[in-house]
Amino acid sequence: MTDDPAFVLHEGGKLNVVSSVDVNDNEGLSLAYTPGVARVCSGIAETPDLVDTYTWRSNLVAVVTDGSAVLGLGDIGPEAALPVMEGKALLFNQFAGVNAVPIALSCNEADAIVETVERMAPSFGGVNLEDIAAPRCFDIERQLRERLDIPVFHDDQHGTAIVTVAALRNAVRLTGRGFDELRVVVSGAGAAGVAVTKMLVDSGIGDIAVADSKGVIYEGREGLTPIKEDIAQISNKAGLRGSIETALEGADVFIGLSAGEIPESVVATMADDAIIFAMANPNPEVHPEVAHRHASVVATGRSDFPNQINNVLAFPGVFRGALDARATDVTEGMKLAAATALADLVSDDLAGDYIIPSTFDSRVVPAVAAAVAQQARADGVARA
């Protein structure tokens, strides 16, 4: 393993803490620490809001996981999840100038995670939940949003949804259709599938059917979880039942957020000018070469094909904007604003192999952050 470049890069970890002031003499020490620091502490005790001015909290995010749904590796535990959390913190800092601390918890119960994060919250300006398995991830985020007055954002859900909606807006524009004309099929009813579906409905999609391992979700289907019952109520206006293969016949859009492979014979039954977002990693539900034989626009979750649906296009800018506005929440409006800002960065250069900006496009974070901050103020959740 020592010859593997990934192991070489990760040796010693990917993060370090660097002080923002120099302490070189007794005067500096007396200001940075005692007795000078006591005056700052007293000021914050008298006026708690000063904590965001005189500490690093206003630019600090906790990246929290229990290690139960890490990448495509599954439940590998908190220690094994740390390299991913470090990577997330690195991206926060590199792309948006946001400080982030990886926190891997040795508990899986929703209430225990909520209680732990709530107790730590005074130290942070925001919480990014990461790689926590469904369905408890939904409950954890809901409870923390209710209890805390700082942004709480589950990136596996909402980061994926923001980038997917942005890319689909441009794919639809390229093929000359409107959102309200589309019939979409989503494969996967986990964290990402649920969030993408809800955001597409909020965006005015024509109709959307969601399939899990048992087939298409519809009202009255036996054994639905509360989350899937909610999905049944807002989706599948056509009343489809049966397999995802049946649902794909004549569909305009396929969005893959699961590990299930879709045969080419099924892909061929989709509508003309189909749009295929096959985002499973490392093996997309439909291989791009197959997808291109039957679709006008193809996107994946992989960096070695065009149109990568990558969460790094969303979460740095979302948190940058939320922190700049000192937002108390990340609203649905803020997520939609992020998606619109991201989509709008692709203008006259829109093409089949360019429906979403590159992750290294320097315009992305400022555009998303500005849109999110503006919407936070419009939604009444901003304090700055």
Side-chain angles (χ1 to χ4, degrees):
M1 290 190 295
T2 56
D3 294 332
D4 185 328
F7 280 85
V8 172
L9 183 144
H10 284 77
E11 187 171 358
K14 301 188 292 292
L15 301 175
N16 208 346
V17 175
V18 179
S19 62
S20 59
V21 298
D22 293 325
V23 177
N24 298 314
D25 53 32
N26 285 336
E27 181 181 3
L29 181 61
S30 69
L31 290 173
Y33 200 52
T34 186
V37 73
R39 300 198 296 275
V40 179
C41 293
S42 297
I44 294 172
E46 292 174 7
T47 309
D49 282 351
L50 291 178
V51 68
D52 288 318
T53 302
Y54 295 107
T55 74
W56 72 335
R57 188 183 104 141
S58 62
N59 196 44
L60 182 65
V61 170
V63 181
V64 180
T65 189
D66 64 353
S68 60
V70 181
L71 302 177
L73 304 174
D75 187 353
I76 60 175
E79 292 85 0
L82 265 177
V84 180
M85 302 309 112
E86 286 186 6
K88 201 81 172 187
L90 181 156
L91 296 175
F92 264 116
N93 192 262
Q94 178 169 330
F95 286 99
V98 172
N99 295 315
V101 176
I103 297 174
L105 302 178
S106 60
C107 57
N108 294 124
E109 300 81 7
D111 289 345
I113 293 173
V114 169
E115 181 179 358
T116 302
V117 175
E118 184 179 17
R119 290 180 183 276
M120 294 189 304
S123 297
F124 297 96
V127 176
N128 183 94
L129 300 173
E130 190 77 20
D131 291 350
I132 300 173
R136 64 175 172 272
C137 62
F138 303 113
D139 187 37
I140 291 167
E141 184 189 43
R142 178 188 58 77
Q143 288 196 57
L144 287 172
R145 288 182 65 190
E146 290 173 353
R147 297 186 188 193
L148 303 182
D149 64 349
I150 57 176
V152 177
F153 184 86
H154 184 204
D155 186 48
D156 299 314
Q157 292 185 61
H158 311 302
T160 304
I162 288 167
V163 183
T164 301
V165 170
L168 187 57
R169 282 188 181 280
N170 284 334
V172 169
R173 181 160 64 97
L174 187 65
T175 58
R177 287 171 288 185
F179 255 50
D180 59 348
E181 302 174 48
L182 299 179
R183 184 166 74 80
V184 180
V185 176
V186 175
S187 174
V194 168
V196 166
T197 298
K198 288 182 176 180
M199 196 167 182
L200 285 173
V201 170
D202 290 343
S203 300
I205 205 73
D207 194 11
I208 185 166
V210 183
D212 61 11
S213 59
K214 298 180 180 178
V216 176
I217 294 173
Y218 57 88
E219 284 194 84
R221 201 187 86 178
E222 292 184 2
L224 292 179
T225 65
I227 292 294
K228 292 180 182 180
E229 287 179 353
D230 290 343
I231 288 297
Q233 291 174 11
I234 65 171
S235 67
N236 198 5
K237 297 175 185 176
L240 299 174
R241 302 190 179 198
S243 67
I244 188 171
E245 288 82 4
T246 301
L248 277 170
E249 186 174 354
D252 300 291
V253 181
F254 169 74
I255 297 176
L257 295 160
S258 67
E261 182 179 354
I262 304 297
E264 182 170 1
S265 59
V266 175
V267 177
T269 69
M270 294 180 66
D272 294 339
D273 288 328
I275 297 166
I276 295 177
F277 290 3
M279 295 186 281
N281 256 321
N283 299 312
E285 295 87 349
V286 183
H287 193 278
E289 291 181 4
V290 173
H292 276 296
R293 290 201 283 266
H294 304 280
S296 294
V297 183
V298 177
T300 73
R302 288 172 47 157
S303 60
D304 54 345
F305 291 102
N307 298 328
Q308 184 191 19
I309 308 297
N310 192 328
N311 290 17
V312 77
L313 288 165
F315 71 83
V318 168
F319 270 95
R320 180 72 279 155
L323 292 171
D324 288 347
R326 290 191 58 213
T328 59
D329 193 13
V330 179
T331 65
E332 300 307 309
M334 291 161 71
K335 298 168 196 172
L336 286 169
T340 300
L342 186 57
D344 287 348
L345 290 174
V346 179
S347 54
D348 294 340
D349 45 359
L350 177 67
D353 60 355
Y354 182 62
I355 60 169
I356 198 75
S358 161
T359 54
F360 294 99
D361 188 327
S362 61
R363 302 172 301 161
V364 169
V365 170
V368 172
V372 167
Q374 181 179 5
Q375 191 63 43
R377 297 181 183 104
D379 289 346
V381 297
R383 292 175 289 194

